[in-house]
Amino acid sequence: MTNPESSTSLPISLPTSLPTSPPTSLLGFVRHLLATMGPRGVWAFLFVLLAMAAEGTGLFLIIPLLGLAGVGVGEAAPGVILTGVDRGFSLLGVEPTLPLVLLLFLGLVTGFALADRRRQVIQAELAEEYGHALRTRLHRAVLQARWSFLARVPGARILHVLNEEVDRVGLAVFLLFGMAAEGAMVLFLLALALWVSPLATAVAAGLSLFLLVFLRRRIRSSKEVGSELSRVSGGVTHLISEQLGALKLMKSFGGESRGISAFVTLSEAYSEISVETHRRIADVGFRFRVAGAVAAGLLLWVAFSILGLSPASVILLLAVFSRLTPRVSSLARGIQSLFIALPAHDRVQSLLVECEAEEEAQAGRNAEPDAPWRLERAIEVEGVGFRYGGRDESAICDLHLTIPAGVVTAVTGPSGAGKTTLADLLQGLLVPTTGEIRVDGVPLGSDGMGRWRASVGYVPQESFLFHDSIRSNLVWARPEATDAEIEEALERAQALEFVRRLPEGIETVVGDRGAQLSGGERQRIAMARALLRRPTLLILDEATSALDEGNERAILDTLFALEGEVTVLLISHRSSALEGVERVYRMEGGRVV
């Protein structure tokens, strides 16, 4: 993929005024593309047209070559061309010999080939760079969207759109420029043929136009096939994503065969719809080839039987139409392929519009590690309520609680009581529907959200580790941390001893999602990562549930040792984790009971 920031030619950056309504037609897609690229896109289109026109002018050289060979063309238009070429040689004071004309022909063909090569490169650059710019903007929009929105969007949908659908959009751009090139050549060849013999050209062109109109509905229906291809392809991505995330569960339940069966079913459906797209494209190509043969036959019959054209003129017309017929066929197939790719653009734009409409405030996105928010008195949750989108019942209702600074506070209760929602609210990932959260008396709003998030450490029940070294997983939370600080965080999390025993120590790669470590080891690495952040508030959401009693007790002792330095919110349903905690809230049904 070409990087528009490092490329020396044709860089693209998507403006903020990019149209937000997804295109529903080919014309809408063209308008959207030109609005995105601006004047550069127009100039690129013009260069494509110019390159193809330059290639077409090479056909004119057939006429002077025939004249120099002593073959009489016998038509007014070719005679004018021959006279013009001869006059050009006279102005240069050069005798138009056959070797010289052949040399000139070779030079011009080389120049046209270079221009066409540049056209193809520009076409590929624009397609790839537009796809890159669109993917980058969509990725940014996803990461900057509110968590309450992202929690509702399937991750497989985002993955599918970012990868496959954006690639298909790039293909659509490539096809669009290819259609412009083919269209320019078709118009030029028709103009040349009309110059030689208007009537013969009108007969052949009329047949091609009739076939194009006849096949219009079939070509346009390809968008429905493209929509089905996007749907099935998205289903395959979703299934793969789910199965990879549940490999251990599938094996423990003996579900391998069911997983394979589900994948085979979807894969077969994808293969069938993919073959159908190629079948439709091949069908259009077949009909145009047959039509081309019929048009060539009509051309010969009209040229000889009705118009009585000379052999040289007929040869010229055949040369033109031998190049025109595949161009028209290629143009029709390109239009059909473009309609198949258009639904991908609709899907990308749809997700982009959704994410940008849910964009989080700038102050909430940007963490400010150099200006941490130090909790001095307490966090007060006053009358807070929260309802997830699409649900009738509230996850939290009229919640009141106080978390004193510098001590360990616990929240317990059954599953579904609203404990994790409370943790998300305290981190600032969710915004209360009603009520407010105050930190040292200051309402937690969007203005200071960046500072607050930079001051919170969070350890969830299912700790996520990147497929990287232990060191990389730790410094991801605080890139500027020193080796001494990393070792201190590992020691506090009761993880230093087992890390030192690993073959490569802190440089050991933990595997996908930490698969090379036990559940307890993963949890302790996640704890060390949170502590490395030097938080003013440390939230543990069932973080000790994967630890045995001894390791849990060691972690809890670490938490109590942090009293006076760090405010700790311990969420747990295990009574053993609550021992020694002076303030414990029990939640049920989204309320403190």
Side-chain angles (χ1 to χ4, degrees), residues 91-163:
L91 290 175
L92 294 174
V94 179
E95 182 69 22
T97 62
L98 184 58
L100 182 60
V101 172
L102 288 175
L103 185 62
L104 177 62
F105 177 78
L106 178 60
L108 289 176
V109 168
T110 302
F112 299 150
L114 287 173
D116 187 58
R117 175 185 176 278
R118 181 58 184 156
R119 173 192 67 81
Q120 294 181 51
V121 171
I122 288 178
Q123 188 174 333
E125 283 182 342
L126 287 171
E128 291 298 316
E129 291 173 9
Y130 178 79
H132 170 75
L134 193 60
R135 179 182 284 111
T136 300
R137 177 172 175 178
L138 178 57
H139 181 266
R140 183 185 300 112
V142 169
L143 294 189
Q144 293 180 348
R146 295 183 181 90
W147 172 247
S148 57
F149 164 75
L150 295 175
R152 302 194 306 267
V153 180
R157 178 194 173 193
I158 296 174
L159 181 64
H160 175 67
V161 173
L162 275 171
N163 285 322

Side-chain angles (χ1 to χ4, degrees), residues 72-81 195-198 307-314 316:
V73 179
E75 299 295 323
V80 171
I81 299 171
W195 199 2
V196 176
S197 177
L307 302 178
L309 297 180
S310 66
S313 295
V314 174
L316 180 59

Side-chain angles (χ1 to χ4, degrees), residues 362-419:
Q362 180 86 13
R365 298 198 311 265
N366 296 336
E368 303 173 42
D370 294 333
W373 189 329
R374 291 304 168 194
L375 180 62
E376 296 179 355
R377 298 193 301 276
I379 300 172
E380 299 167 298
V381 179
E382 293 293 333
V384 167
F386 181 81
R387 176 185 292 122
Y388 288 99
R391 294 188 183 181
D392 295 331
E393 297 182 358
S394 296
I396 286 182
C397 309
D398 193 29
L399 190 65
H400 294 264
L401 58 85
T402 299
I403 303 172
V407 299
V408 178
T409 300
V411 173
T412 188
S415 177
K419 304 187 299 295

Side-chain angles (χ1 to χ4, degrees), residues 197 199-201 203-205 207 291-322:
S197 177
L199 182 58
T201 302
V203 172
L207 179 62
V294 174
L298 284 174
L299 173 66
L300 289 174
W301 180 73
V302 171
F304 282 115
S305 302
I306 299 178
L307 302 178
L309 297 180
S310 66
S313 295
V314 174
I315 290 173
L316 180 59
L317 279 175
L318 286 176
V320 171
F321 275 94
S322 68

Side-chain angles (χ1 to χ4, degrees), residues 146-149 358-361 364 384-389 396 421-437 444-446 449 453:
R146 295 183 181 90
W147 172 247
S148 57
F149 164 75
E358 294 286 343
E359 182 179 1
E360 193 174 24
V384 167
F386 181 81
R387 176 185 292 122
Y388 288 99
I396 286 182
T421 301
L422 171 62
D424 290 344
L425 286 165
L426 291 173
Q427 291 182 80
L429 294 178
L430 300 178
V431 178
T433 306
T434 58
E436 67 177 8
I437 298 173
L444 189 58
S446 60
M449 193 61 72
R453 287 187 184 173

Side-chain angles (χ1 to χ4, degrees), residues 57 194 268 349 423 450 559:
T57 57
L194 284 170
E268 286 178 349
Q349 287 300 310
L559 296 181

